């Protein structure tokens, strides 16, 4: 007895949930299909496929790719035929989407607790306890789980597709990096070369200010980014960013961020926009763009603009932590505590621009949260105190004092930025 819908394309078009019944008792096939003949979940009825032993079940699994649920007998041609089939499905077919409900007429043959712990199944029931009501409840729970898993996979595929589409746009906007981006698709090492080409020089003097940075990815490519750039004769901008996640997807978002800032700088030079000089407004614009693109990533970002004419710093924070560590002209060290929300996370955000003097003798040190991961201490408060005690010395000296060797492998991307003010402006 078999309840096949032979045309798989027709099954999908009609909107069925495909259920595979694996049992050596024909009566169990009949009872199950009769009990569930009027069942539907999310306006889709059930399409039953029958197999009477494990070997036949393997054939059905290869033939039908849309099986959502398997009602599987434990004891068939052998005492453990059902359990062996579970391992085949999960380990050899590598199918972790299909839901598996074990049914047994001999509960003592394989204890429930042991089976649930050792096998990747979703439920384990005695045939005698599966009344129509319990069977319906079990089927509903399993299908809901299957639907959630498949939707999650579709979302991941959508995200990958959007990242790939954004990459193509960046190749057009950044023509000089086109060849490198092709290399990025060929391997992560080439991708690292592309990303690091976008970084500013290790050190930059813009009197009376001096910039320096360090960036160490935890993998080939980094979800962190840092930049500083001259806006005009009076202003210089900088930022440090930490994209959620690691690896290639997060690295693509740092390229997107670089292009976003570069576009605002170009518009400023063409006298089309002043957002590059307005930290809070810039972060609001970035937040809107990330949500509109639905990239699925958010960015913790500190953005600042230095004015060497009045020696002041305008800045705004979008969830960057640790906060900037500021050295006053008196030598005192303090945190610029700026609690806020990363860009791309919520529509309702309230970024604000703050202003401080940044005069000779002052320095500012910023770092990504990857530094906290490698610092000694039982909690964040202890690690922040250690950083504050070290002060705003040169970045290489800081790593040496903290006994951190970035080349030994890192749990997270580590990025640091230091800005200092020397002497008078020219």
């Amino acid at each position: 007895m078999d309840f096949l819908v032979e045309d798989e394309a027709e099954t999908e078009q009609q909107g069925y949930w495909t259920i595979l019944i694996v049992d050596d008792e024909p009566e169990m096939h009949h009872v199950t299909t009769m009990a569930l003949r009027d069942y539907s979940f999310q306006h889709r009825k059930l399409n039953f496929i029958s197999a009477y032993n494990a070997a036949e079940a393997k054939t059905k699994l290869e033939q039908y790719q849309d099986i959502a649920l398997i009602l599987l007998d434990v004891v068939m041609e052998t005492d453990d035929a059902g359990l062996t089939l579970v391992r085949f499905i999960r380990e050899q077919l590598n199918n972790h989407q299909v839901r598996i409900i074990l049914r047994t007429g001999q509960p003592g043959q394989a204890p429930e607790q042991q089976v649930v712990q050792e096998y990747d199944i979703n439920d384990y029931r005695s045939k005698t306890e599966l009344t129509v009501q319990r069977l319906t409840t079990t089927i509903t729970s399993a299908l809901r789980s299957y639907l959630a898993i498949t939707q999650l996979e579709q979302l991941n595929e959508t995200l990958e597709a959007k990242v790939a589409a954004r990459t193509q746009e960046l190749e057009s906007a950044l023509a000089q990096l086109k060849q490198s981006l092709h290399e990025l698709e060929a391997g992560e090492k080439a991708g690292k070369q592309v990303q690091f080409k976008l970084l500013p020089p290790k050190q930059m003097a813009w009197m009376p200010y001096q910039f320096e940075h360090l960036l160490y990815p935890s993998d080939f490519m980094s979800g962190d980014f840092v930049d500083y750039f001259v806006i005009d004769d009076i202003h210089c901008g900088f930022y440090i960013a930490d994209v959620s996640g690691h690896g290639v997807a997060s690295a693509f978002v740092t390229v997107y961020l670089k292009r976003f800032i570069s576009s605002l700088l170009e518009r400023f030079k063409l006298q089309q926009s002043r957002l590059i000089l307005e930290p809070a407004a810039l972060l609001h614009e970035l937040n809107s763009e990330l949500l509109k693109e639905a990239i699925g990533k958010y960015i913790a970002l500190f953005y600042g603009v230095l004015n060497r004419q009045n020696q002041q710093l305008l800045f705004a924070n979008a969830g960057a932590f640790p906060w900037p560590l500021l050295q006053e002209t008196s030598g005192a060290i303090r945190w610029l505590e700026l609690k806020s929300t990363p860009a791309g996370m919520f529509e309702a955000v309230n970024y604000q621009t703050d202003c401080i003097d940044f005069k000779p003798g002052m320095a500012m040190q910023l770092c990504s949260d990857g530094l906290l991961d490698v610092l000694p201490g039982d909690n964040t408060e202890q690690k922040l105190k250690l950083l504050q005690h070290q002060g705003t010395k040169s970045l290489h000296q800081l790593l040496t004092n903290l006994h951190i060797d970035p080349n030994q492998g890192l749990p997270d991307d580590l990025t640091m930025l230091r800005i200092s003010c020397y002497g008078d402006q020219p």
Side-chain angles (χ1 to χ4, degrees):
M1 184 181 300
D2 202 324
F3 299 89
L4 278 173
V5 173
E6 297 292 347
D7 188 344
E8 188 174 354
E10 181 182 350
T11 300
E12 184 175 353
Q13 183 179 4
Q14 293 179 358
Y16 288 96
W17 299 104
T18 300
I19 310 296
L20 174 62
I21 305 174
V22 185
D23 201 299
D24 61 354
E25 297 181 25
E27 181 65 19
M28 285 304 300
H29 294 256
H30 177 72
V31 169
T32 301
T33 55
M34 291 299 295
L36 298 171
R37 61 187 176 183
D38 297 324
Y39 175 89
S40 68
F41 176 66
Q42 295 199 352
H43 310 292
R44 295 167 65 179
K45 297 183 74 64
L46 303 181
N47 170 53
F48 294 97
I49 300 172
S50 288
Y52 297 90
N53 53 59
E56 189 177 349
K58 292 179 182 179
T59 301
K60 300 292 186 181
L61 284 163
E62 293 175 354
Q63 182 180 0
Y64 295 89
Q65 303 300 314
D66 64 338
I67 297 175
L69 171 63
I70 302 174
L71 296 172
L72 177 59
D73 189 12
V74 176
V75 180
M76 293 182 288
E77 60 266 41
T78 63
D79 289 348
D80 64 347
L83 300 178
T84 302
L85 182 60
V86 172
R87 292 203 184 278
F88 172 80
I89 294 169
R90 298 307 194 203
E91 298 175 6
Q92 295 188 41
L93 294 184
N94 198 29
N95 185 342
H96 298 280
Q97 293 78 38
V98 66
R99 305 293 84 193
I100 301 176
I101 299 174
L102 285 182
R103 300 193 296 183
T104 179
Q106 305 176 43
Q109 190 73 19
E112 178 178 352
Q113 182 177 357
Q114 179 182 350
V115 170
V116 171
Q117 290 177 347
E118 296 183 5
Y119 294 84
D120 183 6
I121 63 170
N122 305 101
D123 207 346
Y124 183 51
R125 297 286 184 177
S126 167
K127 293 180 181 179
T128 57
E129 68 174 320
L130 278 177
T131 63
V132 173
Q133 180 61 44
R134 286 189 177 181
L135 183 59
T136 299
T137 301
T138 300
I139 295 291
T140 300
S141 177
L143 290 179
R144 184 175 287 116
S145 176
Y146 174 79
L147 181 61
I149 291 173
T150 53
Q151 287 177 340
L152 179 60
E153 289 186 344
Q154 291 171 0
L155 287 174
N156 287 336
E157 291 175 359
T158 299
L159 173 60
E160 292 175 1
K162 288 184 176 180
V163 170
R166 173 56 63 189
T167 301
Q168 294 299 319
E169 294 176 11
L170 289 171
E171 287 178 352
S172 176
L174 303 172
Q176 70 273 25
L177 295 177
K178 184 175 181 179
Q179 183 58 41
S180 296
L181 287 173
H182 282 304
E183 293 174 2
L184 174 59
E185 295 171 359
E188 290 182 324
K189 289 184 179 180
K192 179 180 180 180
Q193 294 175 0
V194 174
Q195 187 180 34
F196 273 60
K197 284 181 181 179
L198 301 177
L199 290 170
K202 291 287 186 181
Q203 295 183 336
M204 184 183 82
W206 186 73
M207 290 299 294
Y209 300 105
Q210 179 77 28
F211 297 83
E212 65 168 319
H213 82 273
L214 296 174
L215 190 153
Y216 298 100
S218 59
D219 204 343
F220 280 106
M221 302 182 68
S222 173
D224 286 1
F225 201 74
V226 62
D227 200 7
Y228 32 81
F229 48 89
V230 175
I231 299 173
D232 58 20
D233 291 341
I234 299 174
H235 303 95
C236 184
F238 66 91
Y239 61 90
I240 184 170
D242 184 356
V243 179
S244 58
H246 303 280
V248 175
S250 297
F252 278 145
V253 179
T254 67
V255 179
Y256 170 87
L257 174 62
K258 171 75 174 185
R259 182 56 192 164
F260 174 81
I261 299 293
S262 297
S263 175
L264 293 183
L265 182 59
E266 292 170 7
R267 291 173 60 192
F268 173 78
K269 292 180 178 179
L270 294 173
Q271 299 183 345
Q272 296 176 349
S273 170
R274 292 181 58 83
L275 278 181
I276 200 74
L277 297 177
E278 301 170 359
L282 182 148
L283 294 183
H284 277 98
E285 179 71 10
L286 175 62
N287 185 72
S288 298
E289 288 295 317
L290 289 172
L291 291 174
K292 182 175 69 175
E293 295 292 342
I295 293 176
K297 295 280 187 179
Y298 57 85
I299 307 175
L301 176 72
F302 180 93
Y303 180 77
V305 177
L306 282 165
N307 183 323
R308 66 177 174 184
Q309 189 174 64
N310 59 20
Q311 295 188 340
Q312 288 186 334
L313 169 63
L314 294 178
F315 59 92
N317 189 37
F321 184 83
W323 305 300
L325 191 60
L326 182 67
Q327 175 183 303
E328 306 277 12
T329 53
S330 63
I333 306 291
R334 66 181 179 92
W335 295 102
L336 285 178
E337 296 192 15
L338 304 161
K339 296 181 180 179
S340 57
T341 304
M345 184 175 286
F346 302 112
E347 290 186 7
V349 292
N350 183 26
Y351 302 126
Q352 296 183 353
T353 297
D354 290 310
C355 177
I356 60 171
D357 291 332
F358 205 108
K359 298 183 180 298
M362 297 184 68
M364 176 182 287
Q365 177 181 292
L366 304 100
C367 62
S368 64
D369 59 4
L371 181 61
L372 297 180
D373 291 338
V374 294
L375 288 179
D378 296 329
N379 52 55
T380 300
E381 183 179 358
Q382 292 180 5
K383 296 180 180 185
L384 291 178
K385 287 182 178 179
L386 177 60
L387 277 178
Q388 186 172 5
H389 177 73
Q390 288 294 325
T392 59
K393 51 179 62 71
S394 76
L395 300 182
H396 283 290
Q397 185 62 51
L398 177 61
L399 292 181
T400 299
N401 291 353
L402 294 172
H403 306 290
I404 296 173
D405 182 358
N407 298 314
Q408 296 301 313
L410 297 167
D412 194 5
D413 303 325
L414 193 162
T415 305
M416 304 175 70
L417 169 63
R418 184 176 186 270
I419 307 165
S420 52
C421 185
Y422 297 103
D424 297 326
Q425 61 183 356

